Amino acid sequence: MSDARLTFATLAVRRELPSDHCELAPVAAPQLAAYGSEGQTTAELQLALAELADEARPTTVARFLLSYAPAALQTITVELATTPLAQATGRKTLAGAERARLAYATLDAAGRRVAPPDPPPPVVGRDALLAELHRVLGAPVRRSVVLVGDEAAGKSALVAAWAAAQSGRGASGPAGPRPMWATSAAELIAGASGLGEWQDRVAKTMAAAETLDAVLYLDDFGALFADKPEEGG
């Protein structure tokens, strides 16, 4: 089988929606519309167009824009799926985008996204601690970190300062900023009933954080060891 590659570029219209999702449709065939996050829509449209050589129908659900939204042109680079490798690569990319979408949904249900404060709170005299936090959380091996101190000692301010500093790094590559969610023991098990349900919820939350290389912040770690289940124990 020939390993020759056929590629082409086409323009697509991206419409950003109030829901933080978007629609992406090729200018030449606006009836093909992908809906979702930025990475998901691009991967879906690339896969759909790549299968045109086999006259295959897109595997994603097409949606039309139902209301006005700002539009922009975007170039989509497509490699026709003429080889098994190209087909497998496209499906792997789409599967990765879907895993990321589900991970975001899982973490949004388990806690609250942390937006770094601007400007960050002052951490006077804590430069060494902040540097240590950067070192541990920025290491190649991901670790769990426990900040111990009296109430109102500045533990949350230290976390906020780290989040603000790392959000200023490049948005791509291993040095890019990591998304962060805040939650609590009570939120993780809220509404859980039946044997194994809350354990399954915690496991899915941790798996989602691993998928996105995200930071999961528990403000009151001691609540995990409370005596009563209704208190988060």
Side-chain angles (χ1 to χ4, degrees):
M1 179 178 291
S2 174
D3 193 30
R5 298 185 177 185
L6 300 176
T7 62
F8 68 94
T10 187
L11 291 177
V13 177
R14 176 177 298 280
R15 296 182 175 88
E16 302 292 342
L17 304 178
S19 62
D20 291 333
H21 282 53
C22 58
E23 281 186 341
L24 189 64
V27 174
Q31 70 275 16
L32 299 177
Y35 169 80
S37 61
E38 181 176 354
Q40 179 188 0
T41 54
T42 300
E44 286 181 348
L45 194 56
Q46 286 175 324
L47 179 60
L49 294 177
E51 292 184 346
L52 288 179
D54 294 332
E55 296 183 354
R57 295 179 62 86
T59 58
T60 58
V61 177
R63 289 189 59 177
F64 292 98
L65 184 65
L66 301 179
S67 60
Y68 171 78
L73 292 179
Q74 175 179 331
T75 300
I76 300 295
T77 301
V78 179
E79 177 184 341
L80 295 181
T82 56
T83 66
L85 177 60
Q87 293 175 345
T89 300
R91 287 178 171 81
K92 182 179 180 181
T93 300
L94 182 58
E98 179 64 12
R99 284 195 299 271
R101 184 188 69 82
L102 292 175
Y104 273 104
T106 298
L107 290 170
D108 284 340
R112 308 163 305 283
R113 295 196 200 192
V114 175
D118 186 18
V123 284
V124 179
R126 304 285 180 90
D127 293 341
L129 284 175
L130 184 57
E132 181 69 5
L133 194 59
H134 277 293
R135 185 190 68 81
V136 175
L137 293 180
V141 178
R142 298 311 186 205
R143 293 182 174 91
S144 297
V145 179
V146 179
L147 299 178
V148 180
D150 294 334
E151 186 175 357
K155 301 184 295 296
S156 296
L158 194 63
V159 174
W162 172 84
Q166 69 101 33
S167 68
R169 297 181 299 179
S172 61
R178 298 165 62 189
M180 184 175 180
W181 277 262
T183 187
S184 65
E187 287 177 284
L188 285 176
I189 66 172
S193 61
L195 183 61
E197 184 176 348
W198 71 265
Q199 291 93 333
D200 180 65
R201 183 180 301 174
V202 171
K204 288 182 178 178
T205 301
M206 298 303 173
E210 182 179 3
T211 296
L212 300 177
D213 193 21
V215 175
L216 194 61
Y217 172 55
L218 287 88
D219 186 56
D220 187 4
F221 186 71
L224 292 174
F225 305 98
D227 293 333
K228 300 179 180 179
E230 60 270 19
E231 295 176 356

